[in-house]
Each structure stands twice: as structure tokens, then as C-alpha cells.
Amino acid sequence: MSEQPKAVALLSGGLDSMLAAAVAKEQGVHVEGINFFTGFCVEGHTHAIRQKDKDKAKRNNALWSAEQVGIKLHIVDISQEYVGVVTNPKHGYGQNLNPCLDCKGFMVAKAREWMEENGFDFIITGEVIGQRPKSQRRDTFPIIEKESGADDRLLRPLCAKQLAPTLPEREGWVDRERLYDFTGRSRKPQMELAERYGFEEYSQPAGGCCFLTDENFSRKLADLWSARGSKEYDLDDVMLLKMGRHLRPAPNYKLIIAREDGENRFMNGYRKRFHAVRDLDYPGPLALVQGEPDEADLETAARITARYGKGRSAESIRAEITPPGGEPYVTEVAPMPPAQIPEEWHV
């Protein structure tokens, strides 16, 4: 070990991980942050794509957290390796399609690899006993330590006093008496600690940071897997699952209909990969048609798309349909009345 102990802190962008890094840094530890990109991050790309809150400054919360603590941050893309965690979690899913226990173990394992490659001494997380029902429990912590290979080089500063002393504590790299004993779902102790450090602004304390915990997103991902007949996805799939309204009028195809101009512009980049539908006569959304639609399906898709545009009350509109990699053609359709779009079509 170097004269000054060195720790890598997992930074999600949330309050807990920011505080954990600050607690260690305050004790003289050289701390650097690491943030893993899986594709499922709630802030991800979508905050920059959508027009909502366009006047608010956009930021990467992990980078912002690292700046508040005053440490360097490493962002590592693990999206390809992460596929196996999502599709085949050893410990199963949480309430939705969130493989929380497998996810935490995987990320700690990747942090351990980084720690060893870069000559660091231990790992820091912002975990608190009882805060997350799937992964942050007294009985799951040893699983994470063992399966990640981190063992007792994993320090949880916010609840360390509730646990057996780790290597950093036994070696005197950190003072156990200056660590904390937080438990449960209340965020009041963390918010009080944030005030002591002068952290006046931080991401929502109780907010999730992963789309896989979201019921609506998980339903769309399950529908994608069902339609394909296998648990497969790529990063483009994940991005499009975050976009627009999803409707499946028939098993062989699905529509993704943009909800606003930012999504229109983003989805326009996929026009050569899927059938694309838009209204030529009135302002409205772009729709992508995934799957294997036939001519009648595409007409239905055009009618549904028109229903969500400014021409929804018109007797008919001209719809432009562009096949993947093909030339656009125009067809005249009547916008579909809302009553003809059953609830079960909505994914």
C-alpha cells in the first residue's frame, strides 16, 4: 500500500454515494470515483433529448457529485457485459426487472478489477442496511462481498458501525469511530450529514437511478423479449424503450410514437432501420414500426399515428411511409378514433 491509502468509490450520482466518498476523503484517504454506464441510467441520454424542462441546466449527476466532493471520476462503459446480468440474474429480479443484488455484485466486482489494475487499496459504496429491499440487507452484504471478490476490502462508511470491521478499519486507513451507523429507509440522517458537508443541492434522495426499477419500462422490455422469443437486447433497444408511446396492435409489430419534438428528432435517426410513418398534412409525431408489418398493418400504423397529431379530427390525412432502407410512399388514411385504440394495445 502507498503511504496514503487509496479508495475507489462507486458514484451513482445519488446522495448516499456522494456522502460515502466525502466521509472517506475527510479522513485523509485519496478517493477517486467510478461510475458504470449500463444504458439503463434514468438520467442517461433522455434528459438531453427531451424538450421537457429545456430551460433547466442538464447535468450528469455522477460527474456533478464528484465535483462537489472534489474528486476525480472515471466513467466506464459496461453495457455489453451487463447484458448477462439483466437477462439471467442468479439472484432473480426485484419488484420489476431490476436484478439489484446481481447488479451490485457485478459493479463491485468491476470496481475491484479497477482497484487492482490501478494500485488502489479498497472500495467504497454508499450502501445502507435496510434501504433497498432487494440488495441492501444485512444478509445480502456478505453475498456481494464474496461474489465480487472484494471481501473485506469493501467499506460502507454510512453503516460501517452496524457491521464487522473491514480491512481498511483494522489497518487504520480509516477511523471506525468517525464512520456511521445509519439503517433503514429514512433519509433524515443522510440529509443532516449533507448539511454538515455543505451539500445544499443533490439528486432526489429517494429516487431510483435505474429504469429497470420502473414498472412501465420493465413492461416494455418484457414485451420486447416476448415478441422476439428470447431475452435479447442492444443499446438501441434500450434507448427506444425510453422513448415515446409504445403500442402493439398485433403480435407481429409494434409502434413507437414520439411524444414531443426532442423525441421526434432523436427517433428520426432510426428511419433507415424501421418503417417510419409521419403525417404530411398536419404537425405531429414520427412513428417507428418495429417487427414484420404487412400492408394492412402499416395502414393501421398510419391511422394510429395520425390520431396523435394535429390532424386527429380531419376526415383524412396523407401519411408518408418509409420502409427500412427504401423509398417513401404516400397513402391517404383516416385518423383512428380513440375509441378504436383499446387499452391492451398500449405496452
Side-chain angles (χ1 to χ4, degrees), residues 245-276:
R245 299 178 178 87
H246 290 237
L247 291 88
R248 189 175 291 282
N252 61 303
Y253 76 102
K254 179 181 80 169
L255 279 78
I256 304 175
I257 304 172
R259 293 169 295 190
E260 42 102 285
D261 287 343
E263 291 187 344
N264 261 343
R265 288 192 294 271
F266 179 81
M267 288 167 53
N268 192 59
Y270 290 87
R271 289 170 63 94
K272 293 184 179 180
R273 182 170 171 180
F274 306 107
H275 284 86

PDB file of all heavy atoms in Angstrom, residues 245-276:
ATOM      1  N   ARG A 245     -44.607   6.716 -26.970  1.00  0.00           N
ATOM      2  CA  ARG A 245     -45.684   5.783 -26.639  1.00  0.00           C
ATOM      3  C   ARG A 245     -45.426   4.481 -27.390  1.00  0.00           C
ATOM      4  O   ARG A 245     -45.083   4.503 -28.560  1.00  0.00           O
ATOM      5  CB  ARG A 245     -47.035   6.344 -27.073  1.00  0.00           C
ATOM      6  CG  ARG A 245     -47.434   7.639 -26.419  1.00  0.00           C
ATOM      7  CD  ARG A 245     -48.775   8.119 -26.973  1.00  0.00           C
ATOM      8  NE  ARG A 245     -49.207   9.354 -26.325  1.00  0.00           N
ATOM      9  CZ  ARG A 245     -48.864  10.570 -26.722  1.00  0.00           C
ATOM     10  NH1 ARG A 245     -48.071  10.720 -27.769  1.00  0.00           N
ATOM     11  NH2 ARG A 245     -49.303  11.634 -26.083  1.00  0.00           N
ATOM     12  N   HIS A 246     -45.660   3.364 -26.713  1.00  0.00           N
ATOM     13  CA  HIS A 246     -45.476   2.060 -27.346  1.00  0.00           C
ATOM     14  C   HIS A 246     -46.832   1.366 -27.449  1.00  0.00           C
ATOM     15  O   HIS A 246     -47.502   1.161 -26.423  1.00  0.00           O
ATOM     16  CB  HIS A 246     -44.506   1.209 -26.522  1.00  0.00           C
ATOM     17  CG  HIS A 246     -43.091   1.700 -26.568  1.00  0.00           C
ATOM     18  ND1 HIS A 246     -42.035   0.922 -26.990  1.00  0.00           N
ATOM     19  CD2 HIS A 246     -42.546   2.910 -26.254  1.00  0.00           C
ATOM     20  CE1 HIS A 246     -40.918   1.618 -26.929  1.00  0.00           C
ATOM     21  NE2 HIS A 246     -41.208   2.829 -26.476  1.00  0.00           N
ATOM     22  N   LEU A 247     -47.216   1.019 -28.659  1.00  0.00           N
ATOM     23  CA  LEU A 247     -48.468   0.309 -28.886  1.00  0.00           C
ATOM     24  C   LEU A 247     -48.204  -0.941 -29.720  1.00  0.00           C
ATOM     25  O   LEU A 247     -47.444  -0.883 -30.701  1.00  0.00           O
ATOM     26  CB  LEU A 247     -49.492   1.191 -29.611  1.00  0.00           C
ATOM     27  CG  LEU A 247     -50.091   2.377 -28.840  1.00  0.00           C
ATOM     28  CD1 LEU A 247     -49.227   3.615 -28.988  1.00  0.00           C
ATOM     29  CD2 LEU A 247     -51.505   2.663 -29.332  1.00  0.00           C
ATOM     30  N   ARG A 248     -48.837  -2.043 -29.351  1.00  0.00           N
ATOM     31  CA  ARG A 248     -48.704  -3.286 -30.109  1.00  0.00           C
ATOM     32  C   ARG A 248     -50.107  -3.727 -30.551  1.00  0.00           C
ATOM     33  O   ARG A 248     -50.803  -4.460 -29.834  1.00  0.00           O
ATOM     34  CB  ARG A 248     -48.038  -4.374 -29.271  1.00  0.00           C
ATOM     35  CG  ARG A 248     -47.694  -5.617 -30.104  1.00  0.00           C
ATOM     36  CD  ARG A 248     -46.918  -6.662 -29.321  1.00  0.00           C
ATOM     37  NE  ARG A 248     -45.569  -6.255 -28.984  1.00  0.00           N
ATOM     38  CZ  ARG A 248     -44.550  -6.268 -29.853  1.00  0.00           C
ATOM     39  NH1 ARG A 248     -44.734  -6.669 -31.101  1.00  0.00           N
ATOM     40  NH2 ARG A 248     -43.345  -5.879 -29.466  1.00  0.00           N
ATOM     41  N   PRO A 249     -50.523  -3.305 -31.762  1.00  0.00           N
ATOM     42  CA  PRO A 249     -51.847  -3.694 -32.254  1.00  0.00           C
ATOM     43  C   PRO A 249     -51.946  -5.180 -32.613  1.00  0.00           C
ATOM     44  O   PRO A 249     -53.050  -5.733 -32.656  1.00  0.00           O
ATOM     45  CB  PRO A 249     -52.022  -2.824 -33.506  1.00  0.00           C
ATOM     46  CG  PRO A 249     -51.033  -1.715 -33.353  1.00  0.00           C
ATOM     47  CD  PRO A 249     -49.879  -2.322 -32.638  1.00  0.00           C
ATOM     48  N   ALA A 250     -50.803  -5.814 -32.894  1.00  0.00           N
ATOM     49  CA  ALA A 250     -50.783  -7.224 -33.270  1.00  0.00           C
ATOM     50  C   ALA A 250     -49.443  -7.813 -32.861  1.00  0.00           C
ATOM     51  O   ALA A 250     -48.458  -7.088 -32.689  1.00  0.00           O
ATOM     52  CB  ALA A 250     -51.004  -7.387 -34.778  1.00  0.00           C
ATOM     53  N   PRO A 251     -49.366  -9.134 -32.682  1.00  0.00           N
ATOM     54  CA  PRO A 251     -48.113  -9.747 -32.219  1.00  0.00           C
ATOM     55  C   PRO A 251     -46.914  -9.513 -33.134  1.00  0.00           C
ATOM     56  O   PRO A 251     -45.772  -9.535 -32.669  1.00  0.00           O
ATOM     57  CB  PRO A 251     -48.458 -11.245 -32.150  1.00  0.00           C
ATOM     58  CG  PRO A 251     -49.938 -11.291 -31.991  1.00  0.00           C
ATOM     59  CD  PRO A 251     -50.465 -10.130 -32.774  1.00  0.00           C
ATOM     60  N   ASN A 252     -47.159  -9.272 -34.413  1.00  0.00           N
ATOM     61  CA  ASN A 252     -46.051  -9.181 -35.366  1.00  0.00           C
ATOM     62  C   ASN A 252     -45.444  -7.794 -35.515  1.00  0.00           C
ATOM     63  O   ASN A 252     -44.442  -7.618 -36.207  1.00  0.00           O
ATOM     64  CB  ASN A 252     -46.516  -9.669 -36.757  1.00  0.00           C
ATOM     65  CG  ASN A 252     -47.654  -8.837 -37.318  1.00  0.00           C
ATOM     66  OD1 ASN A 252     -48.689  -8.719 -36.679  1.00  0.00           O
ATOM     67  ND2 ASN A 252     -47.465  -8.279 -38.497  1.00  0.00           N
ATOM     68  N   TYR A 253     -46.025  -6.775 -34.867  1.00  0.00           N
ATOM     69  CA  TYR A 253     -45.425  -5.443 -34.985  1.00  0.00           C
ATOM     70  C   TYR A 253     -45.831  -4.557 -33.819  1.00  0.00           C
ATOM     71  O   TYR A 253     -46.814  -4.806 -33.121  1.00  0.00           O
ATOM     72  CB  TYR A 253     -45.801  -4.776 -36.315  1.00  0.00           C
ATOM     73  CG  TYR A 253     -47.209  -4.224 -36.404  1.00  0.00           C
ATOM     74  CD1 TYR A 253     -47.452  -2.858 -36.258  1.00  0.00           C
ATOM     75  CD2 TYR A 253     -48.299  -5.058 -36.653  1.00  0.00           C
ATOM     76  CE1 TYR A 253     -48.729  -2.340 -36.360  1.00  0.00           C
ATOM     77  CE2 TYR A 253     -49.578  -4.557 -36.754  1.00  0.00           C
ATOM     78  CZ  TYR A 253     -49.792  -3.198 -36.606  1.00  0.00           C
ATOM     79  OH  TYR A 253     -51.066  -2.680 -36.697  1.00  0.00           O
ATOM     80  N   LYS A 254     -45.009  -3.505 -33.636  1.00  0.00           N
ATOM     81  CA  LYS A 254     -45.233  -2.522 -32.574  1.00  0.00           C
ATOM     82  C   LYS A 254     -44.924  -1.133 -33.097  1.00  0.00           C
ATOM     83  O   LYS A 254     -44.036  -0.957 -33.937  1.00  0.00           O
ATOM     84  CB  LYS A 254     -44.329  -2.831 -31.375  1.00  0.00           C
ATOM     85  CG  LYS A 254     -44.458  -1.843 -30.220  1.00  0.00           C
ATOM     86  CD  LYS A 254     -43.523  -2.182 -29.060  1.00  0.00           C
ATOM     87  CE  LYS A 254     -42.112  -1.731 -29.305  1.00  0.00           C
ATOM     88  NZ  LYS A 254     -41.254  -1.821 -28.103  1.00  0.00           N
ATOM     89  N   LEU A 255     -45.669  -0.142 -32.597  1.00  0.00           N
ATOM     90  CA  LEU A 255     -45.396   1.260 -32.922  1.00  0.00           C
ATOM     91  C   LEU A 255     -44.714   1.942 -31.746  1.00  0.00           C
ATOM     92  O   LEU A 255     -45.071   1.708 -30.596  1.00  0.00           O
ATOM     93  CB  LEU A 255     -46.688   2.039 -33.199  1.00  0.00           C
ATOM     94  CG  LEU A 255     -47.346   1.955 -34.560  1.00  0.00           C
ATOM     95  CD1 LEU A 255     -48.114   0.650 -34.674  1.00  0.00           C
ATOM     96  CD2 LEU A 255     -48.294   3.139 -34.744  1.00  0.00           C
ATOM     97  N   ILE A 256     -43.745   2.797 -32.067  1.00  0.00           N
ATOM     98  CA  ILE A 256     -43.191   3.737 -31.087  1.00  0.00           C
ATOM     99  C   ILE A 256     -43.503   5.124 -31.622  1.00  0.00           C
ATOM    100  O   ILE A 256     -43.022   5.512 -32.696  1.00  0.00           O
ATOM    101  CB  ILE A 256     -41.675   3.568 -30.911  1.00  0.00           C
ATOM    102  CG1 ILE A 256     -41.332   2.123 -30.533  1.00  0.00           C
ATOM    103  CG2 ILE A 256     -41.151   4.534 -29.848  1.00  0.00           C
ATOM    104  CD1 ILE A 256     -39.837   1.854 -30.461  1.00  0.00           C
ATOM    105  N   ILE A 257     -44.332   5.872 -30.902  1.00  0.00           N
ATOM    106  CA  ILE A 257     -44.818   7.168 -31.370  1.00  0.00           C
ATOM    107  C   ILE A 257     -44.215   8.266 -30.505  1.00  0.00           C
ATOM    108  O   ILE A 257     -44.399   8.288 -29.279  1.00  0.00           O
ATOM    109  CB  ILE A 257     -46.362   7.227 -31.308  1.00  0.00           C
ATOM    110  CG1 ILE A 257     -46.968   6.074 -32.103  1.00  0.00           C
ATOM    111  CG2 ILE A 257     -46.865   8.571 -31.824  1.00  0.00           C
ATOM    112  CD1 ILE A 257     -48.480   5.950 -31.946  1.00  0.00           C
ATOM    113  N   ALA A 258     -43.486   9.169 -31.137  1.00  0.00           N
ATOM    114  CA  ALA A 258     -42.836  10.260 -30.401  1.00  0.00           C
ATOM    115  C   ALA A 258     -43.874  11.104 -29.679  1.00  0.00           C
ATOM    116  O   ALA A 258     -44.995  11.305 -30.169  1.00  0.00           O
ATOM    117  CB  ALA A 258     -42.019  11.116 -31.353  1.00  0.00           C
ATOM    118  N   ARG A 259     -43.494  11.617 -28.508  1.00  0.00           N
ATOM    119  CA  ARG A 259     -44.399  12.438 -27.706  1.00  0.00           C
ATOM    120  C   ARG A 259     -44.118  13.923 -27.807  1.00  0.00           C
ATOM    121  O   ARG A 259     -44.944  14.739 -27.396  1.00  0.00           O
ATOM    122  CB  ARG A 259     -44.319  12.009 -26.238  1.00  0.00           C
ATOM    123  CG  ARG A 259     -44.848  10.622 -25.969  1.00  0.00           C
ATOM    124  CD  ARG A 259     -44.511  10.149 -24.571  1.00  0.00           C
ATOM    125  NE  ARG A 259     -43.060   9.990 -24.396  1.00  0.00           N
ATOM    126  CZ  ARG A 259     -42.507   9.409 -23.333  1.00  0.00           C
ATOM    127  NH1 ARG A 259     -43.268   8.954 -22.363  1.00  0.00           N
ATOM    128  NH2 ARG A 259     -41.194   9.294 -23.240  1.00  0.00           N
ATOM    129  N   GLU A 260     -42.951  14.288 -28.333  1.00  0.00           N
ATOM    130  CA  GLU A 260     -42.594  15.707 -28.437  1.00  0.00           C
ATOM    131  C   GLU A 260     -41.446  15.860 -29.410  1.00  0.00           C
ATOM    132  O   GLU A 260     -40.919  14.875 -29.935  1.00  0.00           O
ATOM    133  CB  GLU A 260     -42.289  16.292 -27.058  1.00  0.00           C
ATOM    134  CG  GLU A 260     -41.457  15.392 -26.164  1.00  0.00           C
ATOM    135  CD  GLU A 260     -40.010  15.824 -26.110  1.00  0.00           C
ATOM    136  OE1 GLU A 260     -39.280  15.590 -27.097  1.00  0.00           O
ATOM    137  OE2 GLU A 260     -39.606  16.389 -25.086  1.00  0.00           O
ATOM    138  N   ASP A 261     -41.072  17.130 -29.676  1.00  0.00           N
ATOM    139  CA  ASP A 261     -40.109  17.416 -30.748  1.00  0.00           C
ATOM    140  C   ASP A 261     -38.744  16.790 -30.492  1.00  0.00           C
ATOM    141  O   ASP A 261     -38.078  16.345 -31.432  1.00  0.00           O
ATOM    142  CB  ASP A 261     -39.959  18.932 -30.926  1.00  0.00           C
ATOM    143  CG  ASP A 261     -41.175  19.562 -31.601  1.00  0.00           C
ATOM    144  OD1 ASP A 261     -41.960  18.803 -32.205  1.00  0.00           O
ATOM    145  OD2 ASP A 261     -41.329  20.794 -31.507  1.00  0.00           O
ATOM    146  N   GLY A 262     -38.288  16.781 -29.248  1.00  0.00           N
ATOM    147  CA  GLY A 262     -36.987  16.178 -28.956  1.00  0.00           C
ATOM    148  C   GLY A 262     -36.968  14.709 -29.324  1.00  0.00           C
ATOM    149  O   GLY A 262     -36.001  14.208 -29.919  1.00  0.00           O
ATOM    150  N   GLU A 263     -38.028  13.986 -28.997  1.00  0.00           N
ATOM    151  CA  GLU A 263     -38.110  12.575 -29.365  1.00  0.00           C
ATOM    152  C   GLU A 263     -38.251  12.415 -30.866  1.00  0.00           C
ATOM    153  O   GLU A 263     -37.686  11.483 -31.455  1.00  0.00           O
ATOM    154  CB  GLU A 263     -39.288  11.912 -28.637  1.00  0.00           C
ATOM    155  CG  GLU A 263     -39.071  11.792 -27.149  1.00  0.00           C
ATOM    156  CD  GLU A 263     -40.155  10.996 -26.438  1.00  0.00           C
ATOM    157  OE1 GLU A 263     -41.241  10.783 -27.032  1.00  0.00           O
ATOM    158  OE2 GLU A 263     -39.912  10.566 -25.294  1.00  0.00           O
ATOM    159  N   ASN A 264     -38.983  13.308 -31.510  1.00  0.00           N
ATOM    160  CA  ASN A 264     -39.085  13.268 -32.979  1.00  0.00           C
ATOM    161  C   ASN A 264     -37.702  13.307 -33.614  1.00  0.00           C
ATOM    162  O   ASN A 264     -37.388  12.525 -34.514  1.00  0.00           O
ATOM    163  CB  ASN A 264     -39.906  14.461 -33.484  1.00  0.00           C
ATOM    164  CG  ASN A 264     -41.353  14.108 -33.781  1.00  0.00           C
ATOM    165  OD1 ASN A 264     -41.703  12.940 -33.916  1.00  0.00           O
ATOM    166  ND2 ASN A 264     -42.191  15.122 -33.873  1.00  0.00           N
ATOM    167  N   ARG A 265     -36.877  14.242 -33.150  1.00  0.00           N
ATOM    168  CA  ARG A 265     -35.553  14.405 -33.745  1.00  0.00           C
ATOM    169  C   ARG A 265     -34.681  13.181 -33.478  1.00  0.00           C
ATOM    170  O   ARG A 265     -33.949  12.727 -34.358  1.00  0.00           O
ATOM    171  CB  ARG A 265     -34.881  15.677 -33.212  1.00  0.00           C
ATOM    172  CG  ARG A 265     -35.499  16.960 -33.741  1.00  0.00           C
ATOM    173  CD  ARG A 265     -34.617  18.157 -33.423  1.00  0.00           C
ATOM    174  NE  ARG A 265     -34.548  18.401 -31.984  1.00  0.00           N
ATOM    175  CZ  ARG A 265     -35.402  19.180 -31.323  1.00  0.00           C
ATOM    176  NH1 ARG A 265     -36.398  19.759 -31.958  1.00  0.00           N
ATOM    177  NH2 ARG A 265     -35.266  19.366 -30.026  1.00  0.00           N
ATOM    178  N   PHE A 266     -34.737  12.667 -32.258  1.00  0.00           N
ATOM    179  CA  PHE A 266     -33.917  11.507 -31.925  1.00  0.00           C
ATOM    180  C   PHE A 266     -34.348  10.285 -32.730  1.00  0.00           C
ATOM    181  O   PHE A 266     -33.512   9.573 -33.312  1.00  0.00           O
ATOM    182  CB  PHE A 266     -34.009  11.207 -30.433  1.00  0.00           C
ATOM    183  CG  PHE A 266     -33.200  10.008 -30.017  1.00  0.00           C
ATOM    184  CD1 PHE A 266     -31.839  10.125 -29.802  1.00  0.00           C
ATOM    185  CD2 PHE A 266     -33.792   8.763 -29.870  1.00  0.00           C
ATOM    186  CE1 PHE A 266     -31.075   9.020 -29.432  1.00  0.00           C
ATOM    187  CE2 PHE A 266     -33.043   7.652 -29.497  1.00  0.00           C
ATOM    188  CZ  PHE A 266     -31.687   7.782 -29.282  1.00  0.00           C
ATOM    189  N   MET A 267     -35.635  10.034 -32.783  1.00  0.00           N
ATOM    190  CA  MET A 267     -36.140   8.842 -33.470  1.00  0.00           C
ATOM    191  C   MET A 267     -35.939   8.915 -34.978  1.00  0.00           C
ATOM    192  O   MET A 267     -35.889   7.888 -35.665  1.00  0.00           O
ATOM    193  CB  MET A 267     -37.618   8.639 -33.129  1.00  0.00           C
ATOM    194  CG  MET A 267     -37.823   8.166 -31.692  1.00  0.00           C
ATOM    195  SD  MET A 267     -39.554   8.252 -31.113  1.00  0.00           S
ATOM    196  CE  MET A 267     -40.402   7.339 -32.404  1.00  0.00           C
ATOM    197  N   ASN A 268     -35.788  10.129 -35.500  1.00  0.00           N
ATOM    198  CA  ASN A 268     -35.527  10.291 -36.931  1.00  0.00           C
ATOM    199  C   ASN A 268     -34.251   9.565 -37.347  1.00  0.00           C
ATOM    200  O   ASN A 268     -34.100   9.149 -38.494  1.00  0.00           O
ATOM    201  CB  ASN A 268     -35.433  11.780 -37.274  1.00  0.00           C
ATOM    202  CG  ASN A 268     -35.457  12.029 -38.764  1.00  0.00           C
ATOM    203  OD1 ASN A 268     -36.407  11.658 -39.450  1.00  0.00           O
ATOM    204  ND2 ASN A 268     -34.410  12.656 -39.282  1.00  0.00           N
ATOM    205  N   GLY A 269     -33.335   9.392 -36.426  1.00  0.00           N
ATOM    206  CA  GLY A 269     -32.094   8.688 -36.719  1.00  0.00           C
ATOM    207  C   GLY A 269     -32.275   7.200 -36.962  1.00  0.00           C
ATOM    208  O   GLY A 269     -31.334   6.520 -37.404  1.00  0.00           O
ATOM    209  N   TYR A 270     -33.463   6.667 -36.682  1.00  0.00           N
ATOM    210  CA  TYR A 270     -33.737   5.239 -36.868  1.00  0.00           C
ATOM    211  C   TYR A 270     -34.611   4.973 -38.099  1.00  0.00           C
ATOM    212  O   TYR A 270     -35.086   3.852 -38.293  1.00  0.00           O
ATOM    213  CB  TYR A 270     -34.427   4.678 -35.627  1.00  0.00           C
ATOM    214  CG  TYR A 270     -33.518   4.592 -34.424  1.00  0.00           C
ATOM    215  CD1 TYR A 270     -33.364   5.678 -33.560  1.00  0.00           C
ATOM    216  CD2 TYR A 270     -32.794   3.434 -34.148  1.00  0.00           C
ATOM    217  CE1 TYR A 270     -32.524   5.604 -32.464  1.00  0.00           C
ATOM    218  CE2 TYR A 270     -31.951   3.356 -33.060  1.00  0.00           C
ATOM    219  CZ  TYR A 270     -31.818   4.447 -32.220  1.00  0.00           C
ATOM    220  OH  TYR A 270     -30.972   4.367 -31.138  1.00  0.00           O
ATOM    221  N   ARG A 271     -34.809   5.979 -38.934  1.00  0.00           N
ATOM    222  CA  ARG A 271     -35.700   5.833 -40.093  1.00  0.00           C
ATOM    223  C   ARG A 271     -35.228   4.766 -41.068  1.00  0.00           C
ATOM    224  O   ARG A 271     -36.029   4.175 -41.780  1.00  0.00           O
ATOM    225  CB  ARG A 271     -35.828   7.179 -40.829  1.00  0.00           C
ATOM    226  CG  ARG A 271     -36.636   8.219 -40.075  1.00  0.00           C
ATOM    227  CD  ARG A 271     -36.524   9.577 -40.741  1.00  0.00           C
ATOM    228  NE  ARG A 271     -37.081   9.560 -42.086  1.00  0.00           N
ATOM    229  CZ  ARG A 271     -38.323   9.893 -42.386  1.00  0.00           C
ATOM    230  NH1 ARG A 271     -39.142  10.284 -41.426  1.00  0.00           N
ATOM    231  NH2 ARG A 271     -38.764   9.862 -43.621  1.00  0.00           N
ATOM    232  N   LYS A 272     -33.915   4.518 -41.124  1.00  0.00           N
ATOM    233  CA  LYS A 272     -33.409   3.517 -42.070  1.00  0.00           C
ATOM    234  C   LYS A 272     -33.415   2.102 -41.484  1.00  0.00           C
ATOM    235  O   LYS A 272     -33.157   1.138 -42.196  1.00  0.00           O
ATOM    236  CB  LYS A 272     -31.994   3.888 -42.509  1.00  0.00           C
ATOM    237  CG  LYS A 272     -31.937   5.158 -43.352  1.00  0.00           C
ATOM    238  CD  LYS A 272     -30.523   5.435 -43.849  1.00  0.00           C
ATOM    239  CE  LYS A 272     -30.494   6.690 -44.718  1.00  0.00           C
ATOM    240  NZ  LYS A 272     -29.120   6.978 -45.226  1.00  0.00           N
ATOM    241  N   ARG A 273     -33.717   2.003 -40.197  1.00  0.00           N
ATOM    242  CA  ARG A 273     -33.708   0.689 -39.544  1.00  0.00           C
ATOM    243  C   ARG A 273     -35.111   0.092 -39.420  1.00  0.00           C
ATOM    244  O   ARG A 273     -35.281  -1.126 -39.422  1.00  0.00           O
ATOM    245  CB  ARG A 273     -33.069   0.820 -38.164  1.00  0.00           C
ATOM    246  CG  ARG A 273     -32.965  -0.475 -37.404  1.00  0.00           C
ATOM    247  CD  ARG A 273     -32.104  -0.327 -36.168  1.00  0.00           C
ATOM    248  NE  ARG A 273     -32.155  -1.502 -35.325  1.00  0.00           N
ATOM    249  CZ  ARG A 273     -31.499  -1.647 -34.184  1.00  0.00           C
ATOM    250  NH1 ARG A 273     -30.725  -0.664 -33.761  1.00  0.00           N
ATOM    251  NH2 ARG A 273     -31.620  -2.744 -33.472  1.00  0.00           N
ATOM    252  N   PHE A 274     -36.130   0.980 -39.305  1.00  0.00           N
ATOM    253  CA  PHE A 274     -37.508   0.527 -39.153  1.00  0.00           C
ATOM    254  C   PHE A 274     -38.398   1.265 -40.139  1.00  0.00           C
ATOM    255  O   PHE A 274     -38.005   2.289 -40.696  1.00  0.00           O
ATOM    256  CB  PHE A 274     -38.009   0.812 -37.724  1.00  0.00           C
ATOM    257  CG  PHE A 274     -37.132   0.262 -36.645  1.00  0.00           C
ATOM    258  CD1 PHE A 274     -36.335   1.101 -35.874  1.00  0.00           C
ATOM    259  CD2 PHE A 274     -37.102  -1.098 -36.383  1.00  0.00           C
ATOM    260  CE1 PHE A 274     -35.527   0.604 -34.870  1.00  0.00           C
ATOM    261  CE2 PHE A 274     -36.292  -1.611 -35.377  1.00  0.00           C
ATOM    262  CZ  PHE A 274     -35.501  -0.767 -34.626  1.00  0.00           C
ATOM    263  N   HIS A 275     -39.613   0.758 -40.342  1.00  0.00           N
ATOM    264  CA  HIS A 275     -40.600   1.541 -41.067  1.00  0.00           C
ATOM    265  C   HIS A 275     -40.857   2.829 -40.289  1.00  0.00           C
ATOM    266  O   HIS A 275     -40.986   2.800 -39.053  1.00  0.00           O
ATOM    267  CB  HIS A 275     -41.919   0.773 -41.199  1.00  0.00           C
ATOM    268  CG  HIS A 275     -41.893  -0.314 -42.230  1.00  0.00           C
ATOM    269  ND1 HIS A 275     -41.446  -1.588 -41.950  1.00  0.00           N
ATOM    270  CD2 HIS A 275     -42.264  -0.313 -43.540  1.00  0.00           C
ATOM    271  CE1 HIS A 275     -41.541  -2.333 -43.035  1.00  0.00           C
ATOM    272  NE2 HIS A 275     -42.026  -1.581 -44.020  1.00  0.00           N
ATOM    273  N   ALA A 276     -40.922   3.940 -40.998  1.00  0.00           N
ATOM    274  CA  ALA A 276     -41.189   5.236 -40.374  1.00  0.00           C
ATOM    275  C   ALA A 276     -42.466   5.814 -40.956  1.00  0.00           C
ATOM    276  O   ALA A 276     -42.706   5.731 -42.170  1.00  0.00           O
ATOM    277  CB  ALA A 276     -40.026   6.192 -40.598  1.00  0.00           C
TER     278      ALA A 276
END
